[in-house]
Amino acid sequence: MTPAPGDYEDLFQRAPFGYVATDIDGSILEVNDTLLEWLGRRRDVVAGSNFGELLDPGSRLFYETRYRSTLLLQDRVDEVALTLLRADGSTMPVLANASADRDAHGEPSGTRIALLDASSRHEYERALLDARRAAEGSEARSRVLQVSAAAFIAATTESELAQHLVASAIGAFDAATATVLIADDAGSLVTAAGTPRSPAPGGPVRRAFETRAPVVVESLEAAEREYPAFLDAMRAGRIDAISAIPLLDGHVPVGVLVCTYGRSREFDGTAIRLQSALALQATQVLVRLRLQAELQRMALHDPLTGLANRQLLHDRAEWARLAAVRSGSSMALVFFDLDGFKQINDRFGHQAGDGLLIEVAERLRRAVRSVDFCARFGGDEFVVVCEDADDGAAALIAERIRVAIAQPYAAVSETITASVGVAVVSGAGAADLSTDLLLERADAAMYASKNAGRDRVTIEVVA
């Protein structure tokens, strides 16, 4: 489920990881509510301070002598262990993933750091120790766990991780089938990977997810007593026993590992701890994959509007240009700037200006075609990449954008309009022009609209 535009700020502020942006000297420019809650500090106290001041002495020394210099040289640093110093004097272990920002001249201008709560690592290590002890009687099972850990770490997608977990569970626990169910945004359990005859996500499976605790059904008789509505599904799948292990991110359930068995089975504490350890191994990697995906999304999208940023825009425009060359069709870049936006900020304040930009982005999404690609170029400038669009189609899209922007806004009383420039190029012409040049021509057309009186569209057929 895609969040509404107004929810993006809330998603950022309450994300399951701390976020901080700094300038080149390490002074904090932005911090989300999650990190402030972890620190037990107010935003006005943290803002403007140096990031190193949030760390304990050992981490601060490492940050100042190694971390920052490595980050600015390599543009990113991943999964570095640091320790936060809370306002009450207590500490909190975190894993830091950071990327460096660069200005138009390629010089470092600041950093963005995402912090993942690593407090559960001690629990994770204890669970692994228990799992190893439980597996000592079976060399084969120990080998499965070791191979599984390596496979989990090497996984690059959630689907790949789930497939590895299914294979590992069957091999380690002599299961007839295994299934990994992942919760979607609505809390429904959806199969991420599984083998034939896997059970439906109900009964003991749903209970394991909701109670955040392992649930076992040792026989059909036990199923008839405890889950009579699930009994027919077990019989249809020739299942005599089930174990359902929740996948937990801390205390938050994110899915369930389900194993089925073709005969009745007793589950002692050692067996359940072993399954829980395997599930915990996989969940730690799942959390990392989701964090990396979120960091990648943040790196390629404007945090205010949720639209693509300039880097992703350039990549998509280049892809569209090459597609036009291959197919021989036309493409267009629509470049527009808000007329009088500076006056809005001066009169109503930057908060109102930000709200206006969010509303403009939403109107832009509604005005363009579903196949068009929207981006915030910077400030109050926006760009739309229109594939398979000649000058006529591009003119219609640009006019819809101009009309949509000119509608009244609830947040400000001023009339807002857009000066729109369009650069259209044929497939043959696109082969001889760079993406940067196309953006320049669209930008020039936009300025032609602005110089001609604003609130209008100028179209240039480049080639």
Side-chain angles (χ1 to χ4, degrees):
M1 182 177 65
T2 302
D7 292 336
Y8 280 101
E9 176 66 14
D10 183 63
L11 287 173
F12 164 71
Q13 293 294 346
R14 300 174 61 188
F17 55 88
Y19 174 84
V20 59
T22 76
D23 64 16
I24 189 63
D25 296 318
S27 295
I28 294 174
L29 304 176
E30 188 174 3
V31 60
N32 71 350
D33 289 345
T34 300
L35 182 54
L36 292 174
E37 182 178 346
W38 289 352
L39 294 168
R41 301 178 189 274
R42 300 194 315 272
R43 187 179 299 276
D44 60 340
V45 173
V46 173
S49 64
N50 191 279
F51 177 70
E53 297 174 11
L54 305 183
L55 306 175
D56 74 351
S59 291
R60 185 180 311 157
L61 179 62
F62 176 79
Y63 168 77
E64 293 172 349
T65 59
R66 293 282 303 279
Y67 188 94
R68 287 187 66 250
S69 58
T70 301
L71 174 59
L72 296 178
L73 284 173
Q74 299 180 356
D75 278 351
R76 67 177 300 111
V77 176
D78 294 322
E79 298 186 350
V80 173
L82 299 174
T83 303
L84 295 177
L85 184 61
R86 291 186 169 115
D88 62 5
S90 62
T91 59
M92 175 180 176
V94 294
L95 287 178
N97 291 269
S99 62
D101 291 332
R102 292 187 177 274
D103 60 24
H105 304 291
E107 295 296 323
S109 59
T111 65
R112 300 170 186 267
I113 305 172
L115 302 169
L116 179 67
D117 183 359
S119 301
S120 61
R121 291 184 66 185
H122 299 298
E123 178 184 347
Y124 171 59
E125 291 167 358
R126 285 195 299 269
L128 284 179
L129 180 59
D130 289 342
R132 293 191 188 102
R133 290 172 177 170
E136 285 177 355
S138 171
E139 181 179 354
R141 290 187 180 183
S142 295
R143 189 178 304 114
V144 166
L145 283 176
Q146 294 168 4
V147 172
S148 298
F152 295 164
I153 293 172
T156 58
T157 66
E158 290 190 20
S159 176
E160 185 180 351
L161 173 66
Q163 291 169 13
H164 286 314
L165 180 53
V166 164
S168 298
I170 291 175
F173 311 133
D174 295 326
T177 73
T179 306
V180 175
L181 303 163
I182 301 295
D184 61 16
D185 292 336
S188 299
L189 291 171
V190 179
T191 299
T195 52
R197 298 193 290 121
S198 298
V205 180
R206 190 71 200 181
R207 183 178 178 186
F209 180 78
E210 293 177 347
T211 62
R212 300 186 290 277
V215 173
V216 297
V217 179
E218 297 184 333
S219 63
L220 290 175
E221 291 75 16
E224 187 171 14
R225 291 193 307 271
E226 300 174 29
Y227 304 99
F230 202 67
L231 184 60
D232 288 342
M234 291 182 63
R235 284 174 171 163
R238 290 178 291 174
I239 298 168
D240 281 10
I242 291 176
S243 61
I245 309 297
L247 306 178
L248 299 176
D249 177 10
H251 297 291
V252 178
V254 296
V256 182
L257 167 64
V258 185
C259 294
T260 69
Y261 309 87
R263 62 183 185 279
S264 298
R265 179 165 178 167
E266 293 185 3
F267 299 92
D268 59 17
T270 299
I272 295 304
R273 284 194 297 271
L274 187 59
Q275 293 194 23
S276 297
L278 189 69
L280 184 56
Q281 276 186 316
T283 306
Q284 294 286 334
V285 177
L286 175 64
V287 171
R288 174 177 62 81
L289 290 174
R290 289 183 169 180
L291 176 60
Q292 290 175 340
E294 177 63 14
L295 289 173
Q296 183 177 19
R297 191 202 69 78
M298 290 171 60
L300 296 175
H301 289 79
D302 172 45
L304 178 65
T305 64
L307 296 177
N309 63 13
R310 188 179 301 192
Q311 177 184 342
L312 184 55
L313 163 67
H314 191 280
D315 292 345
R316 186 58 181 265
E318 176 68 5
W319 186 91
R321 185 185 70 82
L322 294 176
V325 172
R326 289 192 299 269
S327 65
S329 60
S330 297
M331 65 160 291
L333 295 180
V334 180
F335 200 123
F336 72 90
D337 172 274
L338 300 181
D339 300 322
F341 180 71
K342 183 178 184 301
Q343 288 74 15
I344 295 297
N345 275 335
D346 292 343
R347 181 175 178 184
F348 298 99
H350 289 283
Q351 185 173 359
D354 287 348
L356 179 66
L357 292 174
I358 293 171
E359 177 62 22
V360 165
E362 179 57 27
R363 294 186 185 189
L364 177 60
R365 291 185 182 95
R366 295 195 299 263
V368 301
R369 305 173 303 178
S370 60
V371 295
D372 296 330
F373 181 82
C374 303
R376 183 183 178 191
F377 193 74
D380 59 335
E381 295 178 327
F382 298 81
V383 176
V384 181
V385 180
C386 304
E387 297 179 49
D388 195 20
D390 57 16
D391 53 345
L396 290 174
I397 296 168
E399 181 62 18
R400 286 203 302 269
I401 292 172
R402 187 195 67 78
V403 171
I405 300 303
Q407 301 305 308
Y409 293 82
V412 297
S413 58
E414 301 289 337
T415 299
I416 304 298
T417 59
S419 294
V420 187
V422 183
V424 183
V425 63
S426 66
D432 301 323
L433 294 172
S434 69
T435 297
D436 288 334
L437 183 57
L438 285 174
L439 282 167
E440 290 176 8
R441 301 294 284 271
D443 186 31
M446 180 272 289
Y447 274 106
S449 291
K450 194 172 287 290
N451 294 333
R454 304 182 175 186
D455 190 23
R456 64 192 63 214
V457 176
T458 298
I459 298 180
E460 179 183 359
V461 179
V462 179

